[in-house]
Amino acid sequence: MVLKSTLLLLSAASALAQQTPLGASCLSSPDPAGCCTQGEVQGEETVGGVNFQYTCGFAPSPSKLTGHTVATAHECAELCAQDDNCFGASWRTSGSSARGNCFFAIGEDFESKETSAFMLLARAPEPVPDPPCLASPEANACCTDGRTGGEELVGDVLFKYTCGSVPTPSKFKGHNVASAFECAELCAKDETCFATSWRTTGSNARGNCFFAMSQNFDPKSNNDHMLIARVIETTPDPTECEAENKQCMDDKNRCEGEKQVHEAAHNQCETDKKRAENAERECLRNTNEITEKKRQCREEQQQCHEEKAQQAIQCQEDKAEQALINQHCQNQNNQLALDIIKQRDEISDLQSTITTLQSTLDNLNSTYLALNKECKGESCRAGVVNAEQRDDGCILPAGNKNFKIYYAKLDDPGAWDLGTPKTPSFADCAQLCARTPRCVRFAWATSNREGTCWMRSHGQERKPTKFSAWSSGQLV
């Protein structure tokens, strides 16, 4: 990214650097103002893989108050290159300060201000690579804007393209494809294809993509085509460097031998030194151990006398405390015996009350069963399909609901607002009502001939008494 306030400044620096090269790196000069002498105030150098543009008499603003103290402007730029958050720095070209001579800019979008004592070091904008052109729908896209060739990766194969050239000899019959990329892709999939030509202008019935006939092709000038050739890595001949390799290995082996001799002597010296140091430490350790053991022995004897006296006192106190505990325990046992007698009397009274309540509960349960049977009716016979006279008043289960059957009884034909679908039987009609939301009543022709299930969402509280050609069921 080009910093907002230094765009023109850095562009001018780049142009001037190309016009007036300085030769050797001035950033590494021991003279702090080495890049700003002889009228040269701008330039560009690469430090740590990063391009820096320097401008004398300027510094980034804002910048960090505390800086680094380094030997050269090159080291200042190197520190900035190693920090991904550093986009610019100022290098002191004259004077000195306890705060340092290399100060990083704060943020990416810093301003530049004039100051005679500093030089601005700014990361140069990253060059914008040419966009891939082989996949362009324009046949001549790779050969415009002054380009004459380049390299692109197609799949996992690297191709080099050259404008105005064809491989010879090439196959007479070609392929018709949409782009140079597809032409290269066909060649990449064919292991026998090492190059192809792509027609950049005009057309031909034989195609626009022609493979070379062998690996040993010759490029030939042709303004209507572009040569697309595989980039084949070559392996150097190891015999060319055989003598140098042998001499290098001999020097290495001699160096390794000398190194081993010196290392053995050094190791022996270190071993002897460690033995002497260990013996000295062992002697000192033994002396300290004896002194420490004597001190511990005196302390243990004193502690033993003190513990015996304390144990005698503690023993008398424990005896007195145990006598109190025994008396308290006896008092608790007497009180517990009285509590047990009282609780037994209470249990006897509770058992008498439970017997009375159980008798009352049995009477109430019998009364409830009689009332429930009278209110809800008895369960219908097993396997009811169509209602009969004997089913009047019984409870028919359907799904997770229960319906009371009123055989040949219906007082209010009314509107059946939940539909009148067809069902095979009275029992199926009850099942359908149980599955239908808000359904509380259904009716069915007692003759069992019509096959219609009449359903409604109201009238659950009515009890049909009038004779009718319809039997009904109500949700209970």
Side-chain angles (χ1 to χ4, degrees):
M1 176 178 179
V2 178
L3 305 179
K4 62 181 181 180
S5 64
T6 59
L7 177 61
L8 295 177
L9 185 63
L10 296 181
S11 299
S14 177
L16 186 59
Q18 295 175 1
Q19 295 172 4
T20 57
L22 296 179
S25 171
C26 66
L27 296 181
S28 300
S29 172
D31 180 6
C35 292
C36 303
T37 59
Q38 300 177 357
E40 301 292 351
V41 295
Q42 296 173 328
E44 184 171 329
E45 287 191 19
T46 300
V47 179
V50 178
N51 289 334
F52 282 91
Q53 293 174 335
Y54 60 86
T55 307
C56 298
F58 284 86
S61 177
S63 60
K64 295 183 178 180
L65 185 64
T66 302
H68 305 272
T69 300
V70 293
T72 63
H74 185 279
E75 291 185 16
C76 181
E78 195 170 37
L79 286 178
C80 184
Q82 294 170 358
D83 188 340
D84 292 337
N85 295 319
C86 178
F87 297 91
S90 60
W91 164 251
R92 180 178 287 278
T93 57
S94 62
S96 61
S97 172
R99 294 187 293 111
N101 55 5
C102 175
F103 300 86
F104 288 1
I106 298 176
E108 183 175 0
D109 298 325
F110 59 81
E111 302 284 346
S112 61
K113 66 176 183 180
E114 289 193 51
T115 171
S116 60
F118 285 90
M119 176 176 68
L120 171 64
L121 297 169
R123 284 181 182 248
E126 294 289 338
V128 179
D130 292 333
C133 61
L134 293 181
S136 173
E138 183 181 347
N140 199 34
C142 292
C143 301
T144 58
D145 299 330
R147 288 189 295 187
T148 59
E151 292 185 352
E152 280 192 26
L153 193 65
V154 178
D156 57 353
V157 179
L158 181 64
F159 283 92
K160 179 179 181 181
Y161 60 87
T162 305
C163 299
S165 181
V166 294
T168 59
S170 59
K171 295 183 179 181
F172 182 75
K173 181 67 175 177
H175 303 272
N176 274 310
V177 291
S179 65
F181 184 88
E182 292 186 16
C183 181
E185 194 172 36
L186 286 177
C187 184
K189 294 177 180 179
D190 188 342
E191 296 181 354
T192 64
C193 177
F194 296 92
T196 180
S197 65
W198 165 251
R199 179 176 284 276
T200 56
T201 60
S203 62
N204 191 312
R206 292 187 292 109
N208 55 7
C209 176
F210 300 87
F211 288 3
M213 295 185 67
S214 68
Q215 181 177 1
N216 300 320
F217 63 85
D218 291 322
K220 178 181 178 182
S221 177
N222 189 318
N223 293 332
D224 295 332
H225 285 267
M226 176 175 68
L227 170 63
I228 304 175
R230 285 178 184 254
V231 176
I232 301 176
E233 296 183 358
T234 58
T235 304
D237 186 2
T239 59
E240 296 179 357
C241 303
E242 185 174 350
E244 290 83 353
N245 290 340
K246 184 177 182 304
Q247 181 62 41
C248 181
M249 292 302 297
D250 292 342
D251 294 342
K252 178 182 177 182
N253 292 335
R254 184 175 62 258
C255 181
E256 289 291 339
E258 293 174 355
K259 178 182 177 182
Q260 291 176 1
V261 172
H262 290 303
E263 285 182 350
H266 175 73
N267 292 338
Q268 183 61 44
C269 179
E270 289 294 325
T271 300
D272 295 341
K273 178 181 177 182
K274 289 180 180 179
R275 285 176 179 173
E277 291 175 348
N278 291 338
E280 183 180 357
R281 284 195 296 269
E282 182 68 18
C283 180
L284 180 61
R285 185 180 64 81
N286 292 337
T287 302
N288 292 338
E289 286 181 356
I290 294 173
T291 302
E292 179 64 19
K293 287 181 179 179
K294 289 181 179 179
R295 184 189 65 78
Q296 290 179 355
C297 182
R298 288 193 297 270
E299 290 181 352
E300 290 173 358
Q301 288 177 346
Q302 180 63 29
Q303 184 178 359
C304 180
H305 293 311
E306 293 176 355
E307 288 178 354
K308 286 182 178 180
Q310 185 64 33
Q311 287 174 357
I313 297 172
Q314 185 65 39
C315 181
Q316 295 298 325
E317 293 177 351
D318 291 344
K319 287 181 179 180
E321 183 179 358
Q322 186 62 42
L324 293 175
I325 292 174
N326 292 340
Q327 182 61 43
H328 181 69
C329 182
Q330 183 62 40
N331 294 338
Q332 286 183 332
N333 289 338
N334 296 335
Q335 183 61 42
L336 182 59
L338 295 175
D339 291 342
I340 290 174
I341 294 173
K342 181 179 179 181
Q343 289 178 358
R344 284 175 179 173
D345 294 339
E346 291 177 353
I347 291 172
S348 178
D349 294 340
L350 289 173
Q351 287 176 341
S352 176
T353 303
I354 290 172
T355 301
T356 303
L357 291 175
Q358 184 63 44
S359 177
T360 303
L361 179 60
D362 292 341
N363 293 334
L364 290 174
N365 189 43
S366 298
T367 303
Y368 167 75
L369 293 175
L371 291 173
N372 186 55
K373 179 177 181 182
E374 180 181 348
C375 178
K376 292 187 176 181
E378 297 181 353
S379 298
C380 293
R381 57 189 170 86
V384 172
V385 177
N386 288 314
E388 300 176 5
Q389 180 64 46
R390 57 177 172 165
D391 300 319
D392 185 43
C394 72
I395 303 302
L396 176 65
N400 60 351
K401 298 179 180 179
N402 294 318
F403 293 90
K404 189 171 184 178
I405 297 176
Y406 292 92
Y407 180 77
K409 294 176 184 177
L410 183 64
D411 290 1
D412 52 343
W416 301 88
D417 59 336
L418 296 181
T420 57
K422 296 291 185 179
T423 55
S425 66
F426 181 90
D428 290 320
C429 183
Q431 292 286 349
L432 181 59
C433 181
R435 294 195 302 271
T436 303
R438 299 189 299 112
C439 181
V440 297
R441 294 187 66 192
F442 68 90
W444 174 267
T446 307
S447 64
N448 301 320
R449 295 175 182 175
E450 186 181 88
T452 301
C453 183
W454 305 76
M455 297 185 296
R456 64 168 53 157
S457 63
H458 54 86
Q460 182 181 8
E461 71 283 351
R462 296 180 65 95
K463 294 183 179 180
T465 58
K466 296 179 181 180
F467 177 78
S468 171
W470 304 87
S471 295
S472 63
Q474 291 184 201
L475 182 66
V476 293

